[in-house]
Amino acid sequence: TPLSVSYTVSGSKTYDGTTDAGTISSVATTGTLTSGKELRGTATAVLSSKNAGTVTATGTGLYSEQQGYLITASTTGPGTVTITPKALSANLAAQTKTYDGNTTATLASGAITASGFAPGEGASVTQTSGTYNNKNVEGANSVTATLTSSHFIFNNGVLASNYALPTSVIGIGSITPKALSATASASNKVYDGNTSAAATLAITAGLVGQETVTATGAATFNSKDVKGANLVTVNSTALANGDNGG
């Protein structure tokens, strides 16, 4: 005995790596089941492709509890489903560098990772350059990297077109002070009963490019007495902004 089942299928879903649609809006039958008998199962739809785009949907899943029925299935309305690309997220590991006078951030391989893939799929991110939001120690707190499709290397068999790729990623960033080298000199003084010394500091190495800073410090003699005073120690230093960005 023939029995036709017509599935109405339409709609959309986000790419998930499967051909499951599960979008049945209605089911109609042509033919009559024996009194008291019913169709069994769950109406579902299977897609012609798992990949993003407009694909054909075929209704399935129903059967008759009465043997002897020849069930034929058809799909209507319009019988297609749109699969939209799945959005990926990107994460940038915290970055730090020593002050070098610019905002360039050099990222280690693997510093940027992507997430949000369908099960069993993945990609690596090859971008290794970014930009700090500020070149200075004070003010630098983030790093931004620009991403294009060329920065994503998908695992074998994975289609990039199934995913909506992020175009940038931002992470925590910090810049640490650059160490300077300096020499100190102190003038002789008339005995005054204490060890205070007037020291002059000169920066000898460590400045970036043409930058300058002014260095001052508090110093003491190793003895307050005329006899024994032969060494000056700088106990603390302070730097003041100079020229050319220093």
Side-chain angles (χ1 to χ4, degrees):
T1 302
L3 180 66
S4 296
V5 178
S6 177
Y7 300 87
T8 302
V9 182
S10 63
S12 64
K13 77 166 193 173
T14 300
Y15 173 77
D16 61 5
T18 74
T19 56
D20 295 334
T23 306
I24 300 291
S25 59
S26 66
V27 176
T29 60
T30 301
T32 305
L33 286 167
T34 301
S35 178
K37 301 302 182 180
E38 298 177 350
L39 284 175
R40 297 288 188 176
T42 301
T44 61
V46 176
L47 305 178
S48 59
S49 172
K50 70 176 183 177
N51 297 317
T54 300
V55 298
T56 301
T58 302
T60 187
L62 296 180
Y63 63 93
S64 170
E65 67 175 354
Q66 172 64 50
Q67 293 183 351
Y69 282 94
L70 177 62
I71 298 179
T72 58
S74 62
T75 304
T76 62
T80 58
V81 168
T82 300
I83 302 176
T84 57
K86 193 174 192 297
L88 297 182
S89 299
N91 178 74
L92 173 59
Q95 300 295 307
T96 187
K97 72 170 182 176
T98 300
Y99 175 76
D100 59 5
N102 62 61
T103 59
T104 300
T106 301
L107 312 178
S109 175
I112 302 176
T113 55
S115 60
F117 297 96
E121 300 189 349
S124 57
V125 184
T126 61
Q127 175 64 284
T128 56
S129 64
T131 305
Y132 281 87
N133 63 316
N134 194 300
K135 72 168 188 172
N136 298 313
V137 173
E138 292 186 6
N141 54 31
S142 67
V143 171
T144 299
T146 299
L147 300 175
T148 67
S149 59
S150 65
H151 294 127
F152 291 82
I153 306 299
F154 284 84
N155 295 349
N156 188 37
V158 179
L159 297 181
S161 57
N162 286 328
Y163 293 97
L165 306 179
T167 57
S168 65
V169 61
I170 186 169
I172 296 172
S174 62
I175 299 177
T176 58
K178 191 175 191 297
L180 299 178
S181 299
T183 58
S185 60
S187 302
N188 295 331
K189 73 170 187 176
V190 176
Y191 175 77
D192 59 6
N194 61 61
T195 59
S196 61
T200 300
L201 302 181
I203 304 298
T204 58
L207 290 170
V208 174
Q210 300 300 311
E211 294 185 353
T212 65
V213 294
T214 301
T216 56
T220 55
F221 282 94
N222 60 327
S223 173
K224 69 181 180 65
D225 300 318
V226 173
K227 289 185 178 181
N230 56 20
L231 180 68
V232 171
T233 299
V234 177
N235 302 304
S236 62
T237 59
L239 296 178
N241 293 339
D243 297 322
N244 303 315

